[in-house]
């Protein structure tokens, strides 16, 4: 018997049915910083998420793609976890990959990106992926700013909690 996958909404038309490319670099992925947390959280939600970093080959057993353009036709949402100055061709690469949306994390959005996305017809979403995470009742979530910023946001249960 095949179980039907439950789809949960995040924000502004993004759901767990979307496929994601998480952009980072070796430091942001290997030291368990925001790119790694975002990628891991999306996977916990049951999403198909690809790590993208030009200076890393593998991450926790998964292939790391050197560019979002190598995921042409595979992703609908690109999630940058690098500062704008480290992503000079972000919007053009998103368009080449066939993605429709960019989900800017805290500090990754810029007015220049906003204007370029509007010109190219790419939807802009702003806000942290981690705001949608359900934290266990007895955890250190109270120390996590994403917990407080996302108190009223839609929450997505971890895939393993649905079994």
């Amino acid at each position: 018997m095949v179980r039907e996958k439950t789809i949960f909404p995040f924000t502004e038309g993004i759901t767990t049915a979307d496929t994601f490319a998480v952009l980072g670099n070796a430091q942001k992925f290997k030291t368990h910083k925001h790119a790694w947390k975002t990628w891991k959280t999306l996977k916990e939600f049951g999403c198909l998420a690809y790590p993208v970093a030009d200076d890393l080959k593998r991450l926790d057993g998964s292939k790391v793609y050197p560019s979002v353009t190598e995921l042409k036709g595979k992703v609908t949402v690109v999630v940058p976890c690098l500062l704008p100055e480290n992503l000079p061709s972000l919007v053009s690469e998103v368009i080449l990959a066939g993605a429709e949306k960019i989900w800017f994390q805290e500090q990754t959005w810029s007015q220049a990106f906003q204007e370029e996305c509007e010109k190219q017809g790419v939807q802009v979403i702003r806000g942290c992926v981690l705001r949608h995470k359900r934290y266990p009742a007895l955890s250190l979530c109270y120390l996590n700013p994403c917990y407080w910023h996302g108190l009223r946001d839609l929450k997505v249960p971890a895939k393993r909690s649905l079994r």
Side-chain angles (χ1 to χ4, degrees), residues 11-125:
T11 183
E12 298 182 46
I14 295 178
T15 70
T16 55
D18 280 299
T19 52
F20 300 85
V22 179
L23 305 180
N25 59 25
Q27 180 200 13
K28 299 282 186 186
F29 279 117
K30 295 280 254 175
T31 58
H32 294 188
K33 294 204 176 192
H34 195 77
W36 181 83
K37 290 177 186 176
T38 298
W39 173 69
K40 217 49 169 168
T41 299
L42 288 168
K43 288 179 58 153
E44 286 173 9
F45 292 161
C47 301
L48 184 55
Y50 301 96
V52 177
D54 63 359
D55 56 350
L56 192 61
K57 298 286 184 220
R58 296 203 67 76
L59 177 66
D60 296 348
S62 295
K63 177 182 178 180
V64 177
Y65 292 82
S67 167
V68 72
T69 56
E70 290 202 18
L71 294 166
K72 184 175 176 103
K74 292 184 177 182
V75 295
T76 56
V77 181
V78 175
V79 184
C81 295
L82 294 169
L83 295 174
E85 56 267 19
N86 297 324
L87 299 165
S89 56
L90 173 66
V91 178
S92 59
E93 288 183 18
V94 167
I95 292 167
L96 286 172
E100 305 154 354
K101 304 168 188 167
I102 301 176
W103 190 351
F104 288 99
Q105 301 302 284
E106 306 298 329
Q107 301 177 7
T108 65
W109 176 88
S110 72
Q111 187 61 42
F113 279 151
Q114 182 73 38
E115 292 166 5
E116 191 174 354
C117 286
E118 287 173 2
K119 194 184 309 178
Q120 299 295 335
V122 175
Q123 183 181 348
V124 171
I125 296 94

Side-chain angles (χ1 to χ4, degrees), residues 1-6 162-163:
M1 182 175 187
V2 177
R3 285 182 57 186
E4 193 172 309
K5 182 179 177 181
T6 305
L162 295 174
R163 292 182 185 154

